[in-house]
Amino acid sequence: MDAFMQAAIEEAQQGLAEGGIPIGSVIVHKGRIIGRGHNRRVQQGSAIRHGEMDAFENAGRQPARVYRESVLYTTLSPCAMCSGAILLYGIPKVIVGENRTFLGEEALLRSRGVAVEVLQDETCIRLMQDFIANRPELWNEDIGE
């Protein structure tokens, strides 16, 4: 497995261990992780702290060129909010762990020139399937249902 997707999975597992939603993300610039995060909506009482948003926050302020040269890894297909941030900062490539349990805005990203690669990784799928089965109310809250 790609070391960067493994890092995103570790973030997702950390979020689950903290009582949150198991979605993790890392932002990679020239072979180095510059931001890592996991869904912290529960832990921080946040309306917006999805895994990708947490990775952006933890990457901190970066020159625009850094984001335009980066790859974002995420364990789950990015929602509309996270896809908006990807577009805003000009991330050119997104590698998605899985989109079977939730299909986000991949079509929007592709329509705007972002390369999207979906791995259908069994670990990512299992994490989300188990979580959704055990905590459907929390999952529905996270996706706005």
Side-chain angles (χ1 to χ4, degrees):
M1 167 175 296
D2 180 298
F4 299 126
M5 182 52 70
Q6 183 59 46
I9 290 169
E10 289 167 6
E11 286 290 328
Q13 291 167 331
Q14 182 178 343
L16 183 62
E18 294 170 356
I21 299 165
I23 302 167
S25 182
V26 296
I27 300 170
V28 178
H29 179 254
K30 295 186 176 182
R32 184 175 69 85
I33 295 174
I34 61 168
R36 58 189 321 134
H38 53 273
N39 187 305
R40 295 178 194 254
R41 290 187 67 247
V42 172
Q43 300 92 311
Q44 295 185 352
S46 172
I48 63 166
R49 211 64 180 251
H50 283 186
E52 299 90 336
M53 302 300 280
D54 194 45
F56 275 116
E57 182 67 19
N58 291 326
R61 290 179 60 194
Q62 298 289 333
R65 96 179 143 68
V66 169
Y67 286 122
R68 287 193 307 265
E69 298 169 346
S70 294
V71 177
L72 185 140
Y73 289 74
T74 181
T75 58
L76 186 65
S77 185
C79 73
M81 174 177 65
C82 297
S83 294
I86 289 164
L87 293 173
L88 177 68
Y89 291 109
I91 300 284
K93 184 173 184 177
V94 176
I95 300 180
V96 176
E98 68 103 351
N99 65 5
R100 289 185 190 162
T101 59
F102 176 79
L103 178 59
E105 298 297 328
E106 294 172 24
L108 170 65
L109 292 171
R110 287 184 178 107
S111 78
R112 298 281 298 273
V114 177
V116 178
E117 181 180 338
V118 181
L119 304 178
Q120 300 303 12
D121 177 82
E122 287 301 322
T123 301
C124 295
I125 294 167
R126 192 172 47 258
L127 268 171
M128 287 310 300
Q129 284 177 337
D130 291 350
F131 179 78
I132 292 167
N134 292 324
R135 300 292 309 272
E137 74 292 341
L138 186 53
W139 172 242
N140 287 334
E141 174 190 321
D142 196 62
I143 60 172
E145 290 186 8

